[in-house]
Amino acid sequence: MSEAGPAGARPAGAAPEAPIVAEGLVKRFGGFTAVDHVSFRIAEGEIVGFIGPNGAGKSTTIRMLCGLLRPTEGRALVAGLDVARDPEGVRQKIGYMSQKFSLYGDLTVAENLRFFGGIYRVPKDQLAERIRYAVEMAGLAGREDALVATLAGGWKQRLALGCAILHRPPILFLDEPTSGVDPQSRRRFWDLIAALAAGGVSVLVSTHYMDEAEYCNRIALIDRGRLIVMARPSELKRHKLGGDLLDLECEPMGAAILALEQAPAIKDAAVFGNSIHLLVADGAAALSTVPKFLADRGVAVTRLQVMEPTLEDIFVQLVGGERGRQGAAA
Amino acid sequence: MRLRRLKAIAVKEVLQVWRDPRSLLIPSSCPSCR
């Protein structure tokens, strides 16, 4: 990706502009607000994960940044270009991959790559080398003449990425690229994304797989069109929970949940598989008080320990808190 | 649209029709063709 660079010249000594800038982006469809005043910046070589449930506004935001949808309000700058004013210029600077992969099943691997090379106007003298790189990156060497319809999901996914980066864009937008792909292929795909980012490519990737958030430099949590928080995964885990998390195994679980709802020291209790995650202000104190509190109510504790919160814990907490605030304000 | 893009699209369309000429047929389920 050595050819990829920021668009346009800037004065010597000036601070480099972030490759992706969203300022107060709003998108309304009639009376429905899909994206509600979303602002962020993404630096060169940074991977930002857009995390949120279906319908949260992830795809709409990405489509606005790609110039595929016009924002109702706000401004988006991509590679220094205003997306609303110069969508065609933006498209030459970005790679976009949707969850449907946008490949032609009745064309072969090589034909798909040649087609995208033509669409992106890759210089003819560089096309063969770029196609060779994409084929090797996707692990499709020897399958150049296979019809894409016959390929497995992981191969299609890597081929779609190869098509999206054929013109060596400095910015990549990936909209749920790992949906419906097996875990091994997902892992390999993320290794490719990390390699591209190491070469200076800025990546905005949406997903609803919480484990994939760990691959990102920063995470943007989005729910009902609003950006709830944007931070590094480690920062989110350290600061955003508002207390210590305990992992509790006990018998019977139902009675324990009912009892814990009445316990003054418990901020929140949620069932995760065979255990209950408790949010408490002071984990060390709760380790001694919770077993006695539950024993007095006929619940036997088999295991209780302080645990490192997962991003799913953080997400549930933050979305729950935000919805509570919105409900109270309504 | 630049000639290069038009050529890429034309090649793709020809290949798709060559592989499956039935794709040229208008399906009877097409609502605008009734």
Side-chain angles (χ1 to χ4, degrees):
Chain A
M1 309 305 294
S2 56
E3 285 177 22
R10 60 175 178 267
E17 194 171 359
I20 304 171
V21 179
E23 290 175 347
L25 278 183
V26 176
K27 184 65 192 178
R28 293 192 193 94
F29 296 103
F32 174 69
T33 304
V35 176
D36 191 1
H37 295 93
V38 166
S39 300
F40 57 82
R41 282 166 185 267
I42 299 177
E44 188 176 318
E46 190 178 24
I47 305 174
V48 170
F50 239 9
I51 313 274
N54 291 333
K58 306 186 296 290
S59 296
T60 305
T61 305
I62 288 179
R63 284 175 195 160
M64 281 194 282
L65 291 168
C66 291
L68 298 171
L69 275 177
R70 200 177 174 85
T72 310
E73 281 176 38
R75 194 168 73 126
L77 294 174
V78 172
L81 302 171
D82 189 315
V83 171
R85 287 184 188 165
D86 189 6
E88 184 58 31
V90 166
R91 276 176 217 143
Q92 287 297 317
K93 299 284 180 190
I94 64 167
Y96 171 66
M97 178 179 160
S98 77
Q99 54 190 302
K100 289 175 186 164
F101 299 161
S102 306
L103 297 168
Y104 295 95
D106 46 2
L107 264 56
T108 66
V109 168
E111 287 164 354
N112 268 280
L113 285 163
R114 275 198 292 274
F115 169 69
F116 282 99
I119 289 293
Y120 287 127
R121 303 210 301 257
V122 174
K124 278 184 180 171
D125 58 339
Q126 296 174 23
L127 187 58
E129 187 269 325
R130 303 262 185 106
I131 288 178
R132 193 164 52 246
Y133 168 78
V135 165
E136 280 172 19
M137 182 202 75
L140 284 164
R143 293 181 186 268
E144 291 88 340
D145 296 327
L147 286 177
V148 165
T150 65
L151 297 179
W155 275 329
K156 279 186 192 166
Q157 176 206 42
R158 292 194 293 274
L159 176 60
L161 178 66
C163 291
I165 62 166
L166 213 54
H167 56 308
R168 299 196 172 163
I171 293 160
L172 257 183
F173 293 112
L174 309 172
D175 191 4
E176 298 192 8
T178 52
S179 290
V181 174
D182 66 87
Q184 203 175 358
S185 296
R186 278 170 53 195
R187 181 68 186 258
R188 187 169 169 184
F189 183 82
W190 277 100
D191 289 341
L192 294 173
I193 298 301
L196 289 168
V201 177
S202 306
V203 184
L204 177 60
V205 50
S206 72
T207 179
H208 47 235
Y209 292 116
M210 289 290 168
D211 57 320
E212 294 189 342
E214 305 278 0
Y215 294 108
C216 302
N217 299 114
R218 282 191 298 158
I219 300 167
L221 290 182
I222 189 165
D223 183 47
R224 299 201 290 187
R226 299 182 70 179
L227 187 64
I228 296 170
V229 69
M230 191 166 182
R232 292 175 181 280
S234 56
E235 285 172 351
L236 271 180
K237 286 183 180 177
R238 218 176 316 124
H239 297 296
K240 297 294 178 186
L241 212 52
D244 294 328
L245 200 67
L246 300 180
D247 186 35
L248 167 70
E249 283 184 18
C250 58
E251 197 62 44
M253 290 258 283
I257 283 283
L258 288 174
L260 289 165
E261 282 174 1
Q262 313 300 323
I266 308 293
K267 290 183 169 184
D268 192 29
V271 176
F272 275 73
N274 293 326
S275 63
I276 300 171
H277 291 187
L278 303 177
L279 180 63
V280 296
D282 184 349
L287 283 177
S288 57
T289 57
V290 168
K292 183 174 185 318
F293 175 84
L294 288 175
D296 291 346
R297 286 155 182 81
V299 177
V301 173
T302 52
R303 191 165 67 94
L304 180 64
Q305 62 187 38
V306 178
M307 65 173 286
E308 177 87 354
T310 63
L311 283 169
E312 195 164 339
D313 290 312
I314 310 284
F315 185 72
V316 167
Q317 178 77 11
L318 286 168
V319 170
E322 181 73 9
R323 288 187 176 179
R325 275 190 292 280
Q326 284 180 17
Chain B
M1 191 183 286
R2 300 283 180 90
L3 192 64
R4 185 85 197 282
R5 284 183 178 169
L6 279 175
K7 193 179 160 194
I9 293 166
V11 170
K12 174 186 78 69
E13 294 291 328
V14 168
L15 280 169
Q16 286 182 305
V17 173
W18 179 259
R19 298 250 158 84
D20 183 13
R22 287 172 304 172
S23 64
L24 278 177
L25 297 175
I26 298 167
S28 58
S29 59
C30 174
S32 60
C33 307
R34 282 176 191 158

